[in-house]
Amino acid sequence: MEQRKNFAILGNDDVCQICQLTTVTDGLRRKVRVVAESPAMHALLRRAAPMAAADASVIILGESGTGKEVLARTLHENSPRRRQPFVAVNVAALPTELLESELFGHVKGAFTGALAARRGLMEAAAGGTLFLDEIAEMPLPLQAKLLRALQDGEVRRVGDTQAFSVDVRVICATHRDLRSQVERGLFREDLYYRLKVFSLTVPPLRERREDILPLTRVFLELESRANAVLTPDAERALVQHRWPGNVRELANAVKHGVALSLGGAITSSHLPDDVLQPAPSRPADAPVVLRPLAEVEREHVLHVLQACGGRPSEAARVLGIGRNTLWRKLRGYGVAIDG
């Protein structure tokens, strides 16, 4: 698994005076503090507070780099499960063929290289919380297995014939529009509704500018520069930037400024060029996202298959391709089809 992010989302006390949530959580390397001085973050934390005490699953939405994992850790820290493990996995970071084993574990000899039995992350999170980051990237066949595990509360290791019960709370996150993914046939509707008992959306940094300078102070502290001085022009540049990379981009900008200032005051000249230069204007009719042809084709093929009730012969007819060609494409997408 990749190293956990340390992006803070709140003040100087351990308990938020607005929502009464504990706002300091444990990361792998250091404590993580929630930062929320903006009305948008106040509203988010008020909404999150009762969800933390519940035991139902949560989907956290928001752009990349907004601090979704920090919010997930905050929910866990304020839940009855807080003394049990918080296990995080980035679904998009693992190859499809390894993801099932990572989640559910495997028995010895289940596949080439399985020299010993290994427990999965759901088992490792037993009693606690499993955080599935980038859940929208999970292959459809594995979505079905995850749904079964969540509905039955049972896990079966790869290559095993026996299942065993696991008590775990699942919190998911994605930067995609998950409802749209369902409509396009890229995400199972039944899994979507199984996960979406609660939903939270972390606002982008450009919509909570009151948090920019407080977050900057947190990152300076992490860089051992808690007493560092930012000149007015540096503060102005930070507040005015649109932060397309959100909190993650801000953290990197602070690192950049600390490195170039050589221990002195941090001025605007020490900040990255992207922060100082205004974003280029984009024509109103320009596409928001340019996507690879393979991705567009995959989306369309799965949408047609879903619209045809999962019948490959009918889907092949609508697509104007041979049935064998459709099967080859589906195998490449990791989709198993019967009949």
Side-chain angles (χ1 to χ4, degrees):
M1 290 189 298
E2 65 176 7
Q3 288 186 332
R4 302 271 63 78
K5 311 177 189 74
N6 291 287
F7 303 134
I9 48 174
L10 188 112
N12 296 320
D13 300 322
D14 286 355
V15 177
C16 173
Q17 300 306 307
I18 295 170
C19 62
Q20 301 306 306
L21 289 175
T22 298
T23 60
V24 176
T25 63
D26 289 325
L28 287 185
R29 295 181 298 168
R30 56 171 70 95
K31 296 285 186 179
V32 178
R33 180 179 296 278
V34 177
V35 175
E37 297 194 11
S38 64
M41 286 301 295
H42 290 174
L44 174 65
L45 293 180
R46 288 194 191 98
R47 178 174 168 79
M51 298 180 190
D55 204 40
S57 56
V58 184
I59 292 179
I60 302 176
L61 306 172
E63 296 178 7
S64 180
T66 51
K68 296 185 290 294
E69 182 173 331
V70 174
L71 181 57
R73 288 181 178 274
T74 301
L75 292 173
H76 172 76
E77 186 66 25
N78 288 274
S79 76
R81 297 175 178 267
R82 59 184 170 273
R83 299 189 184 279
Q84 301 303 319
F86 177 92
V87 177
V89 58
N90 187 327
V91 173
L94 293 172
T96 300
E97 59 272 16
L98 294 181
L99 187 54
E100 181 178 5
S101 174
E102 283 289 318
L103 287 179
F104 304 125
H106 62 258
V107 298
K108 181 179 179 180
F111 49 82
T112 303
L115 303 180
R118 179 185 178 188
R119 68 175 184 167
L121 296 178
M122 290 194 73
E123 189 177 351
T129 301
L130 176 66
F131 175 61
L132 298 175
D133 198 8
E134 300 297 352
I135 185 65
E137 313 308 317
M138 179 175 286
L140 284 167
L142 194 54
Q143 291 178 28
K145 295 179 180 180
L146 176 62
L147 175 64
R148 173 63 64 89
L150 296 179
Q151 287 182 160
D152 299 342
E154 294 182 346
V155 168
R156 187 170 64 207
R157 292 179 176 177
V158 177
D160 204 348
T161 59
Q162 300 294 321
F164 55 91
S165 62
V166 172
D167 172 30
V168 64
R169 184 189 194 185
V170 173
I171 299 177
C172 301
T174 178
H175 69 281
R176 298 190 184 276
D177 181 345
L178 209 52
R179 178 68 255 182
S180 176
Q181 295 290 99
V182 170
E183 293 171 353
R184 296 172 179 173
L186 301 176
F187 198 83
R188 292 182 63 102
E189 186 173 30
D190 45 8
L191 178 58
Y192 172 72
Y193 285 114
R194 177 61 183 80
L195 294 172
K196 190 179 176 293
V197 179
F198 296 125
S199 178
L200 294 167
T201 301
V202 183
L205 190 54
R206 62 183 174 275
E207 294 180 6
R208 46 181 168 123
R209 295 189 180 277
E210 298 89 343
D211 296 330
I212 293 175
L213 294 182
L215 280 166
T216 300
R217 289 192 287 271
V218 169
F219 294 135
L220 285 171
E221 184 177 346
L222 294 177
E223 296 294 323
S224 301
R225 291 287 308 280
N227 297 320
V229 176
L230 274 79
T231 60
D233 64 312
E235 291 187 348
R236 186 163 51 251
L238 292 173
V239 172
Q240 291 178 350
H241 185 54
R242 285 188 56 80
W243 299 109
N246 292 294
V247 182
R248 183 181 295 117
E249 183 188 3
L250 176 60
N252 290 337
V254 171
K255 283 181 176 289
H256 190 283
V258 167
L260 294 189
S261 66
L262 300 177
I266 299 175
T267 70
S268 60
S269 64
H270 298 136
L271 298 176
D273 292 341
D274 290 347
V275 175
L276 302 178
Q277 299 171 358
S281 58
R282 180 177 58 85
D285 58 349
V288 176
V289 178
L290 298 177
R291 302 163 59 199
L293 178 59
E295 180 181 331
V296 175
E297 180 188 78
R298 176 182 185 275
E299 180 181 309
H300 180 63
V301 168
L302 293 177
H303 175 72
V304 170
L305 181 64
Q306 184 185 49
C308 293
R311 299 187 299 274
S313 296
E314 180 65 14
R317 184 189 66 79
V318 173
L319 291 167
I321 59 177
R323 187 172 173 176
N324 289 339
T325 299
L326 176 59
W327 277 349
R328 285 196 298 271
K329 291 181 180 296
L330 294 175
R331 281 199 299 271
Y333 304 155
V335 177
I337 293 293
D338 295 327

